[in-house]
Amino acid sequence: MNDSHQISNHQLAIEAIKKKLIGKSLNYNEIFAIMDQIAKERLGPVLTTYFAAAGFKEGFSNDELYFLTKAMVATGPRLHFDGIVAGKHSTGGVAGTRTTMIVVPIVAAAGYTIPKNSTRAITSPAGTADTMEVLCPVTFSVDQITDIVGTIGGCIVEGGYLGLAPADDVIIEIEKPIAFESYDKFIVSIMAKQIASGVTHLVLDIPVGPTMKIQHFKDAAMIANKFTFLGERFGLHVVADINEMKQNAGRGVGPLLEARDVLEVLEQKENRSRELEEKAVRLAGKLLTICLSSDNHTMNDVSGESLARDMLENGKALKKMKEIIKAQGGDPEISSAHIQTAKHMYQMKSKKSGSVRAIDNQQVSAICRILGCPTEKKAGMYMNKKIDDSVDKGDILCTFYAEDSFRLKEAVWTLMHTNIYSLI
């Protein structure tokens, strides 16, 4: 730099972090410097942690959210697709609710491009990338993704490997040890990845519940407003789905068990999770509705949700999922019946009769991590009983699975000191 008043991006980033730590607002140049230095891994873990921590308490202004998102996108590669490009993301924190792997093939089967890049688990026992990896590889280059989506119309891949919004991936690794991220952080993370993926139409799943990441509807409304603000600033069509969740929509918790739930819905098995199916259809329907509204070549009287349900019931979504699995290097003939659970198992039985009043999602996540999730794909928990189910004494409430017998013993010991189920 030849101007004596200008300083290096590295020094500017350090000064900006100090400024944010004492509660002051940052401008775009300061935020870009931080994102640039994090993306290039020049700040180191300590300074990066200071920045991640700086946003936990006070958060960021709307302008700062815009600057953060813009800078995250600007410091990495981008995907480019023509026409309407659909996207779906969840604010997360709900164990055993793998709707993305149902929504993507539904939307792609309906004729819309949907390049889904997903994170691995941060606060839950499995992320979409962890679960999709049970069925096929999820790590690809930008060029490979472009080819897959250009041929098939969709994909479900790990976003971190692509290098989209690279600063975000570094910050995610910093946050993993405490399994915690602020609202503003995941808002920026989600929007940066969607914009970098070329998305033009986005549905956001915002679950709310007493043991979910977002526990109050007022917080959910605030989060939805911030997403809408960012959508307007970046020219995205955004629709939010704020929904109450008291338990996981599927029955499996953990990569393999959640993948089995997904396949059962796509295969329209009699024993499939209807709750998971209904949520996925609703989200796909909302996404298709905004896509249809922007598509001048589509009949206006088509309902997005009815189109989504048709794609599921007529088998086109399953066919599309098999195409995606094959294109990503997996076995397209894999089915829910082929999926084998872990070799070590423990059945938690009810000590009394009654009905299930509540399930503690946070305890479910904690125990599944003890069992080995998300690293050990076959580890996890199957919910034999869910809220409002009747229970007799001795009935199986849930089943633990682990590849390691010592992990299973630790989970069972933890179970003695906690309470997953509340019965009345």
Side-chain angles (χ1 to χ4, degrees), residues 181-223:
E181 58 181 341
S182 67
Y183 290 160
D184 282 353
K185 166 57 183 57
F186 68 64
I187 290 168
V188 169
S189 176
I190 289 169
M191 289 301 292
K193 291 286 175 59
Q194 297 301 315
I195 293 163
S197 296
V199 168
T200 61
H201 293 65
L202 174 66
V203 64
L204 290 159
D205 175 22
I206 306 179
V208 183
T211 60
M212 304 297 167
K213 183 185 292 186
I214 302 169
Q215 299 181 0
H216 306 288
F217 279 97
K218 63 179 179 61
D219 290 334
M222 175 270 293
I223 289 165

Side-chain angles (χ1 to χ4, degrees), residues 323-345:
E323 291 176 2
I324 292 171
I325 291 170
K326 182 178 180 180
Q328 292 185 204
D331 179 6
E333 299 309 313
I334 192 170
S335 71
S336 58
H338 293 154
I339 291 183
Q340 299 296 315
T341 56
K343 55 186 176 181
H344 298 290
M345 179 186 74

Side-chain angles (χ1 to χ4, degrees), residues 29-167:
N29 288 338
E30 291 168 328
I31 287 176
F32 180 87
I34 295 172
M35 294 299 101
D36 175 66
Q37 294 300 290
I38 291 176
K40 293 174 180 174
E41 299 186 15
R42 290 177 179 169
L43 281 185
V46 174
L47 288 172
T48 303
T49 301
Y50 271 123
F51 174 71
F56 278 1
K57 184 178 179 182
E58 301 299 332
F60 297 94
S61 68
N62 279 352
D63 281 342
E64 286 178 310
L65 288 178
Y66 172 68
F67 296 153
L68 278 164
T69 307
K70 182 179 178 181
M72 274 191 181
V73 174
T75 51
R78 296 182 69 168
L79 295 170
H80 298 279
F81 303 100
D82 294 330
I84 293 172
V85 181
K88 179 267 174 190
H89 209 100
S90 172
T91 53
V94 186
T97 305
R98 203 53 53 203
T99 55
T100 294
M101 290 170 61
I102 303 170
V103 171
V104 169
I106 286 176
V107 173
Y112 291 104
T113 300
I114 181 163
K116 180 65 178 117
N117 71 80
S118 302
T119 58
R120 294 190 180 274
I122 301 174
T123 60
S124 65
T128 298
D130 303 303
T131 306
M132 188 67 179
E133 200 169 41
V134 173
L135 307 178
C136 61
V138 295
T139 55
F140 299 93
S141 68
V142 170
D143 288 343
Q144 288 173 320
I145 292 300
T146 302
D147 289 342
I148 291 170
V149 176
T151 304
I152 306 300
C155 67
I156 303 172
V157 300
E158 180 192 352
Y161 187 83
L162 288 170
L164 306 179

